[in-house]
């Protein structure tokens, strides 16, 4: 009898110890990237947000009010890669949406992969030939897969392929992106066929259903006080329309624009979160039988497309964020019901911001302008030809960098250093150029330290140009009277991004301490008690964590 009691006591002690040694983690992490969301959008429209969307995150979660992108150029593919790898293009290798392989001079799209086959679309559709193979570093989602011995589920979802693929990482169970046919697709990198639930989702034809509802303002148009007049010269028109004004008869524009039109409306946000909810349901995310955390990486792509077409001060942008706020409220309520309130962790951030339209800025008597890359490249090539008797020594000014024809320079036995020196001298005399510096000599250049650091962080020797061009504030690549907006520079309007956390393991509050985009992955790793990504240069934002 005594022996039996001792054995029972030992079993109880062993069970208690085993339970005590279990690491407490959230059931699900949801990363939400809002493409082209400036930090000030959290507050520009705050009074019009619902209590359950952005306000819920700010009022019950933790906001890092001074989070900056710590590299240039500030571009979508780089932003998604940097948040999830915790490092910059210098290490993770995604040097742009498109970048030039310096050894060959050939352009490479960030997620292109000819070795894979499309799923859910025609075999010849290049939109499906995508994978994360060009990403050189691991992601925090990769590290979660490794830490759980591949028992955690990881899925990426976005209208843009790069927004789904790069955050989900190399070991993801799946990544899904939107095809202009109206279907969500993937590639053979992840699986041999689309899951039945995705096929069934596609059969609902939701993109078409949403577009047939047309796009009008959520509230009476006269209440949009944070925006300029609806019909103005700074906005781009939809194909088939006479003016960039509401209501947008998307039901009538379908024939001329196709189902891809949904991506340039707030319905793109709704459609993305519809698929996210379906993934949670059918993949049982947050209900992993192994007990390990699952991860859903979502990128909301439509704000970028709307911003590019209509610019920062448009009613279209304001309406998009008011509608996205309602979509987020609906999504958070869904998470509460399916995963459990307090059982999941959400972070929301952005890949970059956006500038005001330069012509609008100048019309308000501010300084600004357009850097015409095509004209500057032509003039630079003419200058170099006169000096070195060789034409087309510059093949591109993409990503605000001078990409040299390295093969031609080698064949002609030209002095590459002398070419760089001449190019820098030429560029410094171009209107709108604040700085031009050879990448390998940036540390010696007379450039402010913060900008210098961002140039170095963004420079990947194999995939970036030889010279970095830094424009004056409120200048960007384009031509006079260009409509809409863009991004890519170091300035706060492009680099100051939101970062808000909510849910399991998160304190309530805010910090004004300057944090970097590359701190996010280390913070998530700390929350989950896993290793940081293998190229991470960030530090955990310890103020965020309740543990």
């Amino acid at each position: 009898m005594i022996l039996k009691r001792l054995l029972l006591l030992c079993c109880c002690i062993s069970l208690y110890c085993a339970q005590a040694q279990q690491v407490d983690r959230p059931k699900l992490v949801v990363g939400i990237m809002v493409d082209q969301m400036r930090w000030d959008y959290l507050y520009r429209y705050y009074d019009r947000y619902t209590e359950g969307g952005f306000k819920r995150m700010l009022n019950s979660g933790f906001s890092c009010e001074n989070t900056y992108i710590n590299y240039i150029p500030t571009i979508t593919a780089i932003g998604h890669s940097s948040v999830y790898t915790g490092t910059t293009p210098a290490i993770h290798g995604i040097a742009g949406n498109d970048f030039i392989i310096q050894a060959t001079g050939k352009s490479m799209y960030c997620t292109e992969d000819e070795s894979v086959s499309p799923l859910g679309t025609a075999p010849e559709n290049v939109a499906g030939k995508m994978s994360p193979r060009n990403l050189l570093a691991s992601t925090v989602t990769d590290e979660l897969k490794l830490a759980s011995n591949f028992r955690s589920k990881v899925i990426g979802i976005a209208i843009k392929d790069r927004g789904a693929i790069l955050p989900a990482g190399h070991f993801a169970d799946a990544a899904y992106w939107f095809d202009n046919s109206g279907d969500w697709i993937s590639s053979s990198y992840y699986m041999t066929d689309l899951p039945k639930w995705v096929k069934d989702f596609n059969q609902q034809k939701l993109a078409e259903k949403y577009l047939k509802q047309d796009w009008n303002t959520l509230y009476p148009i006269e209440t949009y006080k944070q925006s300029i007049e609806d019909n103005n010269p700074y906005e781009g028109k939809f194909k088939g329309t006479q003016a960039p004004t509401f209501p947008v008869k998307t039901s009538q524009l379908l024939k001329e624009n196709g189902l891809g039109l949904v991506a340039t409306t707030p319905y793109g946000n709704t459609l993305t979160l519809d698929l996210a909810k379906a993934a949670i349901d059918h993949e049982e995310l947050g209900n992993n039988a192994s007990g390990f955390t699952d991860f859903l990486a979502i990128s909301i792509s439509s704000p970028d497309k709307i911003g590019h077409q209509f610019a920062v001060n448009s009613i279209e942008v304001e309406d998009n964020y008011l509608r996205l706020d309602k979509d987020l409220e609906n999504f958070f309520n869904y998470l509460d019901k399916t995963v459990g309130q307090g059982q999941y962790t959400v972070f929301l951030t952005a890949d970059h911001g956006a500038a005001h339209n330069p012509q609008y800025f100048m019309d308000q008597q501010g300084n600004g302008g357009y850097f015409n890359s095509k004209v500057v490249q032509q003039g630079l090539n003419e200058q170099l030809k006169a000096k070195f008797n060789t034409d087309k020594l510059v093949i591109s000014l993409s990503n605000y960098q001078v990409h040299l024809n390295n093969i031609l320079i080698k064949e002609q036995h030209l002095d590459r250093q002398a070419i760089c020196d001449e190019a820098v001298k030429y560029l410094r005399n171009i209107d709108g150029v604040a700085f031009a510096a050879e990448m390998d000599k940036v540390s010696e250049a007379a450039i402010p330290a913060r900008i210098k650091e961002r140039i170095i962080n963004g420079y990947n020797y194999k995939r970036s140009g030889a010279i970095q061009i830094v424009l004056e504030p409120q200048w960007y690549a384009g031509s006079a009277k260009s409509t809409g907006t863009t991004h890519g520079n170091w300035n706060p309007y492009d680099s100051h991004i939101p970062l808000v956390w909510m849910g399991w393991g998160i304190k309530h509050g805010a910090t004004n301490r300057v944090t970097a985009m590359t701190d996010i992955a280390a913070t998530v790793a700390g929350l989950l008690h896993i290793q940081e990504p293998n190229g991470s240069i960030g530090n955990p934002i310890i103020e965020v964590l309740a543990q």
Side-chain angles (χ1 to χ4, degrees), residues 176-195:
Y176 302 108
W177 54 97
F178 187 73
D179 184 61
N180 286 336
S181 65
D183 289 338
W184 291 88
I185 65 174
S186 190
S187 81
S188 61
Y189 179 88
Y190 303 98
M191 62 197 85
T192 57
D193 192 15
L194 284 183

Side-chain angles (χ1 to χ4, degrees), residues 154-175:
V154 171
I155 294 177
I157 291 173
I159 283 178
K160 294 182 182 180
D161 53 68
R162 53 189 180 269
I165 292 169
L166 297 169
H170 303 85
F171 306 142
D173 296 273

Side-chain angles (χ1 to χ4, degrees), residues 360-371:
Y360 166 80
F361 206 77
M362 290 186 284
D363 287 346
Q364 308 309 309
Q365 301 190 57
N367 291 320
Y370 296 95
F371 178 79

Side-chain angles (χ1 to χ4, degrees), residues 38 113 129 140 193 200 204 240 277 334 375 408 456 514:
R38 292 161 48 122
D113 187 350
K129 295 182 178 181
V140 70
D193 192 15
D200 291 342
Q204 296 180 60
K277 286 183 278 189
Y334 175 84
V375 172
L408 181 60
I456 293 169
V514 175

Side-chain angles (χ1 to χ4, degrees), residues 498-511:
L499 175 57
V500 192
W501 308 76
M502 182 180 75
W504 188 97
I506 304 300
K507 291 178 182 176
H508 170 53
T511 180

Side-chain angles (χ1 to χ4, degrees), residues 142-153:
D142 286 333
E143 296 299 332
L144 176 60
K145 294 290 283 189
L146 291 167
S148 66
N149 198 22
F150 291 82
R151 286 179 286 177
S152 292
K153 279 190 177 180

